[in-house]
Amino acid sequence: MPIDQQLLVAFTVTTLVAMVTPGPDMLFVLGCGMRGGPRAGLLATAGVATSEAVHIVVAAIGLAALFAAVPVAFTVVRVLGAAYLVYLGVQIIRRRGGGPGDMPVLGGGMSGRRAYLNGLVTNLLNPKMVTFTIAFLPQFIDPALGQVWLQFAILGAILVTLEFIVDGTVGVLAGRIGGWLRRRHAARRRVDVATGGIFIGLGVRLAVDR
């Protein structure tokens, strides 16, 4: 095993604790599940997990260094991500309680492709994931063991797997609860408003959190 066993255990435990603590990714998946059902929640998780894999690769080749050297790049990506989240939230609230034909991007009955892409794009436009990855993963790598790239890949795979398991469970459970609520029109409108509020709140948080 090309990685220190004690560091591996410490990394797994630390990552799991971080994953079960509600954060932007979990709230996003929660909103998708409540609005679109278990399948939407699971596919949104798959999109988020894919974006994290991309972040790991990007961090490894040094994009975080670009953000440090050119602060405006970080700001531009952060604002784009915030705007996208706010847009999704506003669309959901505007069309709350509508039929399948009136659903916005995150509506019920949405295609698997759309659910996946929403999770992918939302997390890709969060540059803090890149800086987190480049700051977090190296703490559990031992250069003395060699094959640093392989150690990085192993830790990244564990991170993505735990993300999928934890947030995927949340998305599926939220989808089952949301499905029960959506069968009641008044409750469905409340779910839409609550979900839209979650996305708007996440967008505002991403925009103002420096």
Side-chain angles (χ1 to χ4, degrees):
M1 188 71 170
I3 192 168
D4 184 273
Q5 296 299 306
Q6 291 184 339
L7 289 177
L8 180 60
V9 172
F11 171 79
T12 303
V13 172
T14 303
T15 302
L16 186 58
V17 170
M19 290 294 178
V20 299
T21 302
D25 286 349
M26 182 178 289
L27 292 176
F28 180 83
V29 171
L30 177 68
C32 288
M34 289 185 66
R35 191 60 162 63
R39 181 169 178 271
L42 192 59
L43 288 171
T45 302
V48 170
T50 300
S51 71
E52 287 189 352
V54 173
H55 282 142
I56 290 168
V57 174
V58 168
I61 63 176
L63 185 55
L66 171 63
F67 287 155
V70 188
V72 69
F74 182 96
T75 302
V76 169
V77 176
R78 189 187 70 239
V79 170
L80 287 175
Y84 184 70
L85 282 170
V86 171
Y87 167 77
L88 291 179
V90 170
Q91 288 294 94
I92 290 173
I93 292 175
R94 283 184 56 210
R95 304 181 185 184
R96 59 190 179 277
D102 299 325
M103 293 296 180
V105 176
L106 288 173
M110 60 181 166
S111 69
R113 177 176 177 273
R114 183 165 292 181
Y116 175 83
L117 288 177
N118 280 329
L120 176 66
V121 172
T122 298
N123 214 39
L124 279 178
L125 293 177
N126 183 0
K128 288 199 170 183
M129 281 303 302
V130 178
T131 54
F132 169 80
T133 302
I134 202 66
F136 182 65
L137 292 185
Q139 308 303 317
F140 302 90
I141 290 177
D142 185 358
L145 295 177
Q147 295 183 300
V148 172
W149 66 270
L150 183 56
Q151 294 185 59
F152 210 95
I154 291 172
L155 296 180
I158 293 174
L159 177 66
V160 171
T161 299
L162 291 177
E163 171 76 36
F164 193 87
I165 292 173
V166 174
D167 283 355
T169 299
V170 170
V172 170
L173 292 178
R176 294 189 182 284
I177 295 173
W180 178 80
L181 291 174
R182 284 194 304 274
R183 289 193 289 271
R184 293 150 178 81
H185 186 71
R188 175 178 175 175
R189 291 172 64 88
R190 296 190 196 100
V191 169
D192 290 347
V193 172
T195 303
I198 288 175
F199 288 117
I200 292 173
L202 288 175
V204 172
R205 174 180 173 180
L206 182 59
V208 302
D209 188 14
R210 298 177 184 278

